[in-house]
Each structure stands twice: as structure tokens, then as C-alpha cells.
Amino acid sequence: MVRFTVLASGSKGNSTVVCGGRTRILVDAGLSCRELFRRMKLADEDPETLDAIIITHEHQDHVNGLAVTARKLGIPVYFTEPTHRAWMRWLTPRRQMTYAQWLEQCRKQAAEREAEPEVTVLEASAEESDPEEAGQEEAEIDCQTPAAETPQPANVEPGPAGEPVAPEPPSNKPPSMKEDPTWLPAVEYFRAGEPFSIGDIAFSPFTIPHDAADPVGFVLSAEGVRMGFATDLGYIPPNVKEQLRNLDLLLLESNHDLEMLRDGPYPWSVKQRVLSRVGHLSNDATAEFLSSAYDGQAAYIILAHLSENNNLPELARVAAERALLGRASLLANRLLLAEQHQPLSAIRF
Ligand SMILES: [Zn+2]
Ligand SMILES: [Zn+2]
């Protein structure tokens, strides 16, 4: 059984659970850990059974709960290398890090993981329970203390009588969020254009045009079901059109209505960014794709990442319905709208 459950979609947080065979993956972790778990339970998914988290890009609405969730569950995070690096920089903004220093930090974290390979879910939960109780947002503001500024106890220091003090035994706990907010139980890299698998789910990652370090979309397949995933892109270039074929499910951005964005509350610079070739897809751009390059094969089309300020669900729906005119039926091109504030019912194949 394949299940596809959008937990949240929009500029305040994005996250989807995909289950195929014996594997369960969280695509993006843009809500607080607590909220992710709450929504998974609402959607009848058990967070404890997740096998991994995979990240499309480092914008906050895709990674907000990442570190706490990965630590709590003790599961690996899949990134592209530039996205991992950009995410680490985002969490330690006051710390200047050269590429060499970044590599060194990755090596150090890998050694820490090596030293304590069996972080159980229970230990990880206890570790993070306080920040979670205090609320994810606060925890993450706390987490922005640069690791370099955290006082490090020296291992050997002369005691008052000049006697050396015994070195502290090596800690067998992972560093706390305060000590190292970028620490993760395990990190795996993938590259756009190079397919790979996590358990029973195959991923085909592709580059999308967006103002992030190395943003990607995916086609996921499991048990012969193909699911396309493309949000946060300024336009749909040929490589993305190529990928979004022969799908059973297509989750596609329909971010804004052009007029609402032009007349809306955003400052001009932000409007320019959203409208740019590395911004977000408008309802019209999505409709243009659906009426031309799209092959009409998907059983489900989910419109996603709708702006709450610059769009209305009805506008997005009507634009897509017009584009799909004559092609929508109970078996093909059923149109759904992903929501910001509640999960969509699971789609099952
Ligand atoms: Zn986004
Ligand atoms: Zn983004």
C-alpha cells in the first residue's frame, strides 16, 4: 500500500509523509516537531515509524522542525551537500565558516555519531524534551547561539594546587541543541540528476529554479506508483516538464494570483522576488503547464504552496480546472488543494 499525506503546505510550513512498502519518509520538516507529530497523529501516521527525512531546500518553511524531529526520532536526514551547508549556516548565522571549516565540522559530527552510534529514540526524546516544552520557536531561537561561542570545558586544567585535574570522561550523549544546533543523528547526501533509494522508495531528484542553495523536486516511486513533487519554483523549465510525466500523483505549486500579488501587501522587492524566475509559480503558470506540457496521466493533482496573502483557494482551483477542462474524471486528474493549517486526507494507491 502506498500512502501520500500532505501534512502542511504553504509559506508557514511544508511537510508530507510518503509511505511505500515498508518505508516511511517525511519530505521536508517545515513545522515544529510538536506540530508535525500532532498532524501525523491526526492523519493516522505514527511518527515513530518514520525511516528518514528528506529536504528539498533550506528555506525556513521547509526545515523549521528538522533538527528537533530528526534528533527525537534518531533518523537520518537526506540533503544535497549545498543544502546541508546552507542549513548549517542558517542555524549559526553569526559564525563565519569557510568551506574547510564546514568540512571539519561535518567530520567532527560524524566522529561524535561514531562514538555514540546507538542513540535510542528514548534518549533523544529526553534530550530534547525541554526545548519542545518551551515551544519550538523559542527552542530554535535559542539554537541560534553559534557553536563557536559556546564555552568549551578544557579537558586538562591545573587544579588549585597545581595538580592536573582528571580529564572529563568523554560524553556519550550527542551535543545539545545549544551546544550544536546543527548536529543530526545521521546525514546522507544525494545529488540532483542521480536517482537513489531509501528502503522501498526510489527517488529521482531534479533541479528546480528557486532562490536557494541547491533546490530540488522529486519523483518518488514505490510499488509501481509514481509521485511527482514540485513546489518553490519560479517557472517550469524543460528538465522539470520532462520529469513530471507518467505520474500517478502530481503535487504542484500554485502559489499566487498575479493580480492579488501585484495589488497585495508585500513590499515591491518581495513582489519582484516572488515573480522572478527563481520565485514561485503563479496560478496562471501552473495552469499553462497543466493545459500544455502536462500529459494528463495522473490520478490526482494536488495544488500546493498556496499563498495566504496573495491567493485564494477558489482562484487556484478555477485556473487549474479550466486548464484541465475535459480531462478531469473520477479516475484521472482529480484536483485537490493542499492546506496550510490541516493535513489532507491520505491518498492511497
Ligand atoms: Zn517554500
Ligand atoms: Zn523556498
Side-chain angles (χ1 to χ4, degrees):
M1 162 87 74
V2 172
R3 285 196 309 279
F4 188 98
T5 310
V6 182
L7 299 175
S9 183
S11 58
K12 295 197 178 81
N14 295 273
S15 202
T16 297
V17 183
V18 182
C19 306
R22 290 149 297 161
T23 307
R24 292 168 170 77
I25 307 288
L26 193 65
V27 181
D28 286 334
L31 301 171
S32 71
C33 177
R34 186 194 299 183
E35 183 63 12
L36 279 173
F37 282 20
R38 191 184 74 81
R39 293 199 188 192
M40 284 187 73
K41 281 177 186 146
L42 276 178
D44 237 357
E45 295 287 352
D46 179 2
E48 303 286 342
T49 63
L50 284 173
D51 295 292
I53 302 173
I54 189 163
I55 297 298
T56 57
H57 65 296
E58 74 279 12
H59 286 165
Q60 188 166 359
D61 55 318
H62 299 258
V63 297
N64 203 30
L66 174 59
V68 175
T69 306
R71 282 163 167 253
K72 194 160 265 190
L73 297 174
I75 55 176
V77 180
Y78 286 71
F79 296 99
T80 72
E81 188 176 321
T83 297
H84 182 218
R85 190 172 177 223
W87 174 76
M88 287 173 79
R89 268 201 310 259
W90 173 64
L91 282 177
T92 52
R94 281 168 284 164
R95 187 175 179 200
Q96 294 292 316
M97 221 194 286
T98 64
Y99 186 68
Q101 285 167 330
W102 174 73
L103 284 177
E104 183 52 39
Q105 181 160 352
C106 290
R107 264 199 295 273
K108 196 172 144 239
Q109 291 181 346
E112 282 163 357
R113 286 193 282 269
E114 205 50 25
E116 183 52 35
E118 302 147 308
V119 182
T120 66
V121 168
L122 266 179
E123 282 167 351
S125 295
E127 171 73 21
E128 298 311 332
S129 61
D130 286 346
E132 270 300 288
E133 287 309 305
Q136 173 74 12
E137 279 67 33
E138 276 176 45
E140 292 203 348
I141 289 163
D142 282 346
C143 287
Q144 296 194 357
T145 309
E149 285 176 20
T150 308
Q152 299 290 326
N155 269 355
V156 180
E157 263 182 76
E163 290 292 309
V165 173
E168 286 188 11
S171 161
N172 54 7
K173 268 183 147 188
S176 71
M177 286 292 274
K178 271 202 173 131
E179 284 164 345
D180 185 357
T182 66
W183 189 90
L184 294 169
V187 173
E188 301 284 344
Y189 290 143
F190 64 86
R191 285 193 222 197
E194 296 182 7
F196 64 97
S197 291
I198 308 175
D200 296 331
I201 302 181
F203 289 79
S204 178
F206 52 86
T207 294
I208 52 171
H210 190 53
D211 55 357
D214 187 21
V216 294
F218 297 110
V219 172
L220 286 70
S221 33
E223 301 178 36
V225 175
R226 282 169 50 82
M227 297 155 276
F229 216 101
T231 69
D232 299 73
L233 62 172
Y235 70 103
I236 308 185
N239 77 306
V240 176
K241 289 180 181 164
E242 194 60 43
Q243 290 281 339
L244 300 182
R245 291 207 171 125
N246 297 315
L247 299 174
D248 297 290
L249 179 154
L250 168 60
L251 179 136
L252 183 62
E253 176 168 59
S254 191
N255 178 258
H256 55 273
D257 173 75
L258 285 168
E259 276 179 37
M260 282 184 74
L261 178 68
R262 286 199 186 108
D263 300 340
Y266 285 2
W268 179 240
S269 59
V270 178
K271 291 181 184 180
Q272 288 286 77
R273 196 216 128 214
V274 173
L275 287 167
S276 78
R277 300 275 277 180
V278 288
H280 290 275
L281 288 180
S282 68
N283 295 341
D284 287 355
T286 299
E288 159 64 24
F289 168 77
L290 291 176
S291 63
S292 58
Y294 169 58
D295 66 6
Q297 298 294 305
Y300 295 93
I301 295 174
I302 305 177
L303 301 180
H305 218 301
L306 270 68
S307 167
E308 290 187 297
N309 289 312
N310 304 306
N311 209 351
L312 292 170
E314 274 320 295
L315 292 175
R317 179 185 288 281
V318 165
E321 274 173 356
R322 275 200 198 120
L324 292 167
L325 208 61
R327 291 207 275 180
S329 72
L330 275 179
L331 294 176
N333 301 306
R334 290 176 67 177
L335 197 62
L336 302 168
L337 270 68
E339 296 189 38
Q340 182 70 84
H341 299 285
Q342 59 182 7
L344 266 193
S345 302
I347 295 169
R348 292 163 202 271
F349 292 94

